[in-house]
Amino acid sequence: MARSAIHGPAQGRDSRIRPGSDRGHTVAGMSSRPTAIRAAPCSNAERLLPGHQFADAYKVPARHGVDAIEATRLAFARGPLWIRALMGLRNGLVRLVGLKPARSRGFPILSETPREVVMGFDDRHLDFRIVVAVAGGFATVTTLVRWHNAWGRAYLAAVLPFHRAIAARMIESVA
């Protein structure tokens, strides 16, 4: 049985998500998006962030004709209120300890091609990269983290449950 990234077992769904397949089913007249599934991190992860200690990825079938630039725009466009609230809380807390807040327009773009967009920045406690890629009919978001000290490791442990829910929800916006 397929396992949803944030909702447990995918009840009654085909565990094989195929590009161009049914984008969701109707329940009581409401359509649903495909649920993001865990995926292998991008193949160039070591080149993008050498020595990373954490990597995860989620994927969904991409809308027809969407490239990585458009997928990034869709994923990082004005998200749900709960994500915006969590990011606002995060930004307020990290300012208290002297770390960089996330920009309101999203993370800095380090490289951008129709196949892959790489975002992220380096900070005192950790460095991270977010990679949005479109290939084979799927859109995938990969997160890479390299921590520098105990604070970086503790920060990642604290945000990880939220990160997983946010990353999966954001890439679902591309389906």
Side-chain angles (χ1 to χ4, degrees), residues 14-38:
D14 183 349
S15 64
R16 299 168 309 238
I17 296 180
R18 294 175 302 280
S21 65
D22 182 19
R23 298 257 179 233
H25 58 279
T26 302
V27 177
M30 296 174 51
S31 65
S32 65
R33 281 190 286 252
T35 301
I37 59 172
R38 289 184 185 253

Side-chain angles (χ1 to χ4, degrees), residues 2-142:
R3 183 152 180 83
S4 162
I6 56 176
H7 299 293
Q11 308 266 332
R13 289 193 186 172
D14 183 349
S15 64
R16 299 168 309 238
I17 296 180
R18 294 175 302 280
S21 65
D22 182 19
R23 298 257 179 233
H25 58 279
T26 302
V27 177
M30 296 174 51
S31 65
S32 65
R33 281 190 286 252
T35 301
I37 59 172
R38 289 184 185 253
C42 58
S43 61
N44 58 346
E46 188 59 29
R47 182 182 60 78
L48 294 173
L49 191 61
H52 64 275
Q53 297 112 329
F54 172 83
D56 73 354
Y58 299 92
K59 71 178 182 178
V60 293
R63 294 179 192 171
H64 179 72
V66 168
D67 65 9
I69 296 167
E70 178 67 5
T72 301
R73 189 192 66 71
L74 290 167
F76 286 85
R78 189 171 168 87
L81 180 59
W82 66 270
I83 292 177
R84 294 193 317 267
L86 282 174
M87 290 304 290
L89 177 63
R90 178 233 178 249
N91 283 342
L93 292 174
V94 300
R95 280 189 185 102
L96 294 175
V97 294
L99 300 175
K100 295 179 187 176
R103 297 182 341 198
S104 62
R105 295 181 317 255
F107 299 111
I109 295 174
L110 304 176
S111 67
E112 183 178 69
T113 69
R115 292 188 56 133
E116 176 183 86
V117 175
V118 180
M119 299 169 282
F121 59 79
D122 300 343
D123 208 341
R124 292 187 325 219
H125 66 309
L126 58 75
D127 306 334
F128 78 96
R129 302 294 180 266
I130 299 171
V131 183
V132 177
V134 175
F138 289 94
T140 305
V141 62
T142 298

Side-chain angles (χ1 to χ4, degrees), residues 50 54 68 78 104 118 134 145-147 155 159-160 163 166 170:
F54 172 83
R78 189 171 168 87
S104 62
V118 180
V134 175
V145 178
R146 178 181 58 214
W147 58 77
Y155 174 84
V159 303
L160 201 52
H163 157 77
I166 291 169
M170 291 178 82

